[in-house]
Amino acid sequence: AVLVRDYTVSGNGYYDFTALMTCQVTEIDLAIAIGADNVPIQYHTSRTRDLSFTSTCTCDTDPGTDATDAPTMADAGDADTDSPSPAPTDGTVDDVTDAPTADDTDDTVDICGTAELITGQILYVLRDATNKQVTISLQGSSDQWFGYGFGPTADGSGMTGAFGVVLTSGSSTDSADMAVAQYLLNSASGPGTSLSYGTTTAQVAGSTVTGSLTMAYDAAAEFDFTDFLTCQVDSIDLLAAQGSGPNMAVHTTTNGGQTLTRPATCTCSDTGNDATDFPSPAPTD
C-alpha cells in the first residue's frame, strides 16, 4: 500500500515532509508500531522508537542528472525538486509512520497490563506518566457486551464493590451504538451504580468494537490505580464478564479471582517520583 499526500498538510499533528523532500535535511526520526491484528484504532502490541529514515533522493535542478529521474519515478520533470510526486520512493515508509497505532510514540505512554480473561475480549491498561493518567482500553466482539472489573472484590469473592469498565449498547440487538460504561458493580442489583469519570471513546468496525476510558490515576473513588502505575504494587485483582447480546444484562460468562500483573517493560524509572523508582522504598540520604 502507498500513501500519497502533499509535503505539508494543514492541521494539528500532521508531519511536514518539506525539509526532507527538498534536501534541507537528509534524515528524519522514525518509529514503528505493530498491533495485535488488522483491526484499526487499537493499541500496539510492540513498538520500536528512536529509529531514523535516511533519504536517498537528491535535489539537483538538472532533470537530466537528478537521481530522482530513475526509471521507477514516473514524472521526472518537476524542476523545483525533481520529485515526481509527494509519494515516497519506498511504499512502506509512509504507511508505517501513518498507521493508526503509530500515533502512540510518546515515551511516557506505556502498556502496563494486558489480559484476555474471556477469549476474544482483550484488556489493555496504559499509563501516561507525564500527565499521571491511565487509559483502560477494551477490544473484542461487538456481538455481546463485555467488561473488566478492578478492585478487592475482583479477587473471587464476588463482583460487588469492584470498579467496572464495560462496552455495552443501548439496544439488545444493535451493536452500532456500543459505548464505554462505568459502574460500581453490584451483583445483587446489577449492573450496579453508574459512574462517569474521565473521557471515553468507542468505535465499532464490522464485528469488532474498541473502546477506552482515560482518566487520572486516582480519579475513580472506587479504585485508585496510583499504586499499580507507580510500582508500589506489582499486581491488582481483576475479573471479566460477558453477556449474550450487545446490551448489558445478566452475564453468561464470567472469570473472577484473577490478577493483572505489570510487565517488566512498565517500569517507574521515568515517572519523576524518586520514591517510585524502586520496588521498595529507597534510602533518602
Side-chain angles (χ1 to χ4, degrees):
V2 176
L3 169 67
V4 179
R5 47 154 279 194
D6 293 335
Y7 294 167
T8 181
V9 178
S10 60
N12 184 34
Y14 288 99
Y15 187 80
D16 188 342
F17 286 90
T18 302
L20 180 70
M21 294 299 174
T22 58
C23 301
Q24 298 175 53
V25 299
T26 59
E27 187 176 274
I28 57 175
D29 295 329
L30 184 67
I32 300 174
I34 301 173
D37 51 38
N38 63 355
V39 177
I41 311 181
Q42 63 175 334
Y43 292 103
H44 54 69
T45 55
S46 64
R47 65 180 175 186
T48 303
R49 300 171 291 191
D50 302 323
L51 301 175
S52 62
F53 172 74
T54 301
S55 172
T56 57
C57 295
T58 62
C59 296
D60 182 54
T61 56
D62 178 2
T65 59
D66 195 343
T68 60
D69 287 335
T72 56
M73 308 297 279
D75 176 13
D78 189 336
D80 292 332
T81 62
D82 287 336
S83 176
S85 69
T89 57
D90 179 346
T92 63
V93 173
D94 248 5
D95 285 336
V96 172
T97 57
D98 283 359
T101 56
D103 291 341
D104 179 20
T105 56
D106 192 324
D107 288 348
T108 65
V109 177
D110 302 291
I111 297 177
C112 288
T114 61
E116 190 175 357
L117 299 188
I118 297 175
T119 302
Q121 317 296 37
I122 304 171
L123 164 74
Y124 299 93
V125 174
L126 297 103
R127 177 187 67 189
D128 178 347
T130 297
N131 297 304
K132 292 181 169 40
Q133 290 187 322
V134 58
T135 294
I136 300 165
S137 178
L138 305 179
Q139 178 184 325
S141 171
S142 61
D143 293 336
Q144 60 271 317
W145 70 266
F146 67 96
Y148 282 82
F150 306 85
T153 59
D155 63 2
S157 60
M159 291 187 179
T160 300
F163 173 59
V165 181
V166 180
L167 272 169
T168 180
S169 170
S171 168
S172 61
T173 58
D174 187 1
S175 63
D177 67 344
M178 290 190 83
V180 174
Q182 309 161 52
Y183 295 97
L184 173 59
L185 297 176
N186 187 334
S187 57
S189 59
T193 304
S194 180
L195 305 171
S196 180
Y197 295 112
T199 58
T200 62
T201 63
Q203 178 171 336
V204 177
S207 61
T208 299
V209 60
T210 303
S212 66
L213 163 65
T214 299
M215 62 183 184
Y217 294 170
D218 60 354
E222 295 72 21
F223 186 79
D224 189 337
F225 285 87
T226 301
D227 286 352
F228 182 62
L229 296 178
T230 57
C231 303
Q232 302 303 305
V233 298
D234 294 327
S235 61
I236 54 178
D237 295 320
L238 188 69
L239 64 84
Q242 173 183 285
S244 58
N247 179 247
M248 189 174 183
V250 177
H251 57 72
T252 55
T253 304
T254 185
N255 188 354
Q258 304 301 317
T259 57
L260 179 69
T261 301
R262 192 180 59 257
T265 53
C266 179
T267 64
C268 292
S269 60
D270 58 352
T271 61
N273 299 321
D274 291 340
T276 62
D277 287 346
F278 305 88
S280 59
T284 56
D285 54 336

